[in-house]
Amino acid sequence: MSEQVQSLKSLTLFCKVVDNYGDIGICWRLARQLEREHHINVHLWVDDLHSFQRICPDVQLNTDTQNVHGVTVHHWLDQNGTFASEDVSDIVIEFFACDIPPAYIQAMAQRQPRAVWLNLEGLSAEAWVEGCHTLPSPHGSLPLTKYFFFPGFNSKTGGLLIESELEQQRQQFVSDPATIAEFLSDLGLSENEINALKISVFCYPHAPATDLFEAWKNNATPITCLVPEGVATEAVQAFTGQPAAAGSVTTIGALTIRVLPFVPQPDYDKLLWACDLNFVRGEDSFVRAQWAGKPFVWHIYPQDENLHHVKLNAFLQCYGVNTDKLAAMMLAWNGVTPLPIQWETVWHALAADMPRMADLALQWQQQLIANGDMTSNLLKFAHTVHQQSVNNEQK
């Protein structure tokens, strides 16, 4: 462990699951990286163990407190509970402004030295994020200050979650065709499916997936579409005419749709690496698609008054120049483009641009790596806040 974070040895992370797998996906990656790479004693409070278990099968559903891969996991049942100051960690993180138990906050106010309290915010490329990153927010009645910490796409933000060994693992995987084929074969793919253009689809239920399936079935070359069980269920069933259960496979025209079982996080990364194009959603899979170094289409989490359209356009502006074909697909996929949409035209334009999109994806990946990883950046900031607090108490 680096000298600058030795004084911060414990961390509590509160997570309320709103976006099914995205919220817990991010928090679990963060918790695991803190424990494995920085040797932090992590307590993860999460309210939805069912969603957690889908991405980490080792999670037990009927256990209030359990150790999962070195992380102490607490089932966050309600806002009640009794906490003492010794229950409070050195760092306390509320993910995406979730309300942590009032008794825990009271215990934070009794703790000496004060815990570093962070609100880990959602990811956005909007310019205002840079000005709000690390801003303090004093508590209204207690001697506590919370700080906003924003992930982001440049050095003026906290960067993105990435494990130290991930890029090496990715390069080893993509450089070995036999390993890729074995991984896909283990998921049930036939040789023909493996040799086709492979597209993973992870989207929200309102995505126009059926329209895209119709375009893909008329493609000049075979397409294998890989959809996790429980995702785009109605669209898959409407197109294939059969239940969208894990293991089901249907070929219509050039398109083969295979429904995959939900896989643990490490295997999802491999799926992204193995595919030629990835449709992803929310934040967690969106970030992993960027680390995959492959072309991707983002389905952003919907917000009232179409505020998500602003976020989508902000990302497209920072992602890179000459992305009009990719932008056209993302805007159509997210319902920004006025109807009717000529899906075959949008698809063929993107397909023809895929080699250049692949190069751009790798360039973008290197740009992100230069910003440092979010977990290390977060710990460095927490140390700075902690040191300032210690200095103030000594005056």
Side-chain angles (χ1 to χ4, degrees):
M1 186 189 302
S2 63
E3 291 184 4
Q4 65 180 166
V5 296
Q6 282 185 350
S7 57
L8 302 176
K9 300 178 180 179
S10 62
L11 181 146
T12 294
L13 173 58
F14 289 91
C15 172
K16 281 192 176 294
V17 177
V18 177
D19 182 16
N20 293 310
Y21 314 110
D23 302 302
I24 185 56
I26 294 166
C27 290
W28 180 232
R29 292 187 196 280
L30 174 60
R32 288 289 292 121
Q33 188 177 10
L34 285 164
E35 190 277 331
R36 288 182 61 190
E37 298 183 17
H38 300 279
H39 311 294
I40 302 292
N41 178 20
V42 181
H43 289 257
L44 172 59
W45 289 77
V46 58
D47 64 337
D48 183 355
L49 295 180
H50 288 274
S51 293
F52 193 178
Q53 189 186 62
R54 296 295 297 277
I55 62 171
C56 181
D58 292 330
V59 171
Q60 302 298 312
L61 297 180
N62 299 315
T63 304
D64 289 339
T65 302
Q66 57 191 296
N67 186 285
V68 185
H69 297 186
V71 174
T72 303
V73 175
H74 304 268
H75 191 189
W76 187 4
L77 297 170
D78 51 44
Q79 291 295 83
N80 299 321
T82 302
F83 299 94
S85 59
E86 56 265 28
D87 298 323
V88 178
S89 295
D90 296 326
I91 305 171
V92 178
I93 299 177
E94 57 184 51
F95 180 70
F96 209 27
C98 65
D99 292 325
I100 64 180
Y104 195 92
I105 297 177
Q106 290 289 339
M108 289 171 62
Q110 301 300 317
R111 186 187 194 270
Q112 292 293 338
R114 296 276 187 256
V116 178
W117 186 8
L118 304 176
N119 176 14
L120 179 56
E121 280 285 355
L123 176 63
S124 177
E126 295 171 282
W128 63 266
V129 166
E130 298 173 7
C132 293
H133 178 53
T134 70
L135 280 183
S137 175
H139 192 278
S141 58
L142 296 173
L144 296 171
T145 299
K146 177 167 56 179
Y147 294 84
F148 294 95
F149 195 92
F150 283 83
F153 304 100
N154 60 40
S155 60
K156 297 179 181 179
T157 67
L160 299 180
L161 269 173
I162 179 174
E163 300 83 358
S164 60
E165 72 276 12
L166 184 68
E167 176 56 13
Q168 181 181 0
Q169 292 173 347
R170 185 194 71 84
Q171 290 185 11
Q172 290 176 344
F173 184 87
V174 300
S175 63
D176 188 350
T179 298
I180 297 173
E182 181 181 6
F183 170 75
L184 294 173
S185 179
D186 288 345
L187 291 176
L189 275 70
S190 66
E191 184 176 352
N192 287 339
E193 291 172 76
I194 293 174
N195 292 331
L197 180 71
K198 295 175 290 297
I199 303 174
S200 74
V201 174
F202 188 43
C203 61
Y204 294 112
H206 63 281
T210 303
D211 295 327
L212 202 50
F213 294 160
E214 291 292 334
W216 285 344
K217 77 177 184 181
N218 297 320
N219 201 56
T221 57
I223 293 176
T224 299
C225 177
L226 304 173
V227 186
E229 184 181 20
V231 173
T233 301
E234 292 184 4
V236 171
Q237 292 180 168
F239 184 78
T240 64
Q242 63 175 329
S248 70
V249 55
T250 303
T251 299
I252 301 177
L255 175 62
T256 297
I257 296 180
R258 176 176 287 276
V259 179
L260 301 178
F262 231 83
V263 297
Q265 283 184 332
D267 284 345
Y268 182 67
D269 282 321
K270 292 178 181 178
L271 178 65
L272 296 174
W273 301 342
C275 287
D276 303 292
L277 174 66
N278 295 299
F279 283 69
V280 291
R281 78 183 197 187
E283 181 173 332
D284 184 53
S285 61
F286 172 48
V287 171
R288 303 313 280 194
Q290 292 172 71
W291 294 132
K294 296 291 186 72
F296 63 90
V297 176
W298 182 28
H299 199 203
I300 189 170
Y301 189 79
Q303 293 180 292
D304 293 338
E305 300 179 357
N306 289 330
L307 291 178
H308 56 298
H309 292 177
V310 177
K311 291 186 176 182
L312 175 62
N313 279 301
F315 172 73
L316 288 171
Q317 289 176 12
C318 81
Y319 182 60
V321 296
N322 302 321
T323 57
D324 53 317
K325 307 297 190 303
L326 178 64
M329 174 60 79
M330 286 204 201
L331 294 172
W333 190 241
N334 284 278
V336 182
T337 306
L339 299 174
I341 297 170
Q342 301 300 319
W343 283 101
E344 287 199 29
T345 301
V346 174
W347 162 246
H348 288 312
L350 178 61
D353 207 33
M354 286 266 287
R356 195 175 62 83
M357 288 294 98
D359 291 339
L360 177 61
L362 289 173
Q363 294 171 21
W364 174 250
Q365 182 192 66
Q366 293 305 308
Q367 187 175 328
L368 294 175
I369 289 175
N371 297 327
D373 74 280
M374 191 197 80
T375 303
S376 295
N377 292 339
L378 184 148
L379 288 176
K380 291 175 184 176
F381 174 69
H383 171 76
T384 299
V385 172
H386 172 72
Q387 196 60 53
Q388 290 173 347
S389 176
V390 171
N391 293 341
N392 290 336
E393 291 175 3
Q394 292 176 345
K395 289 180 180 179

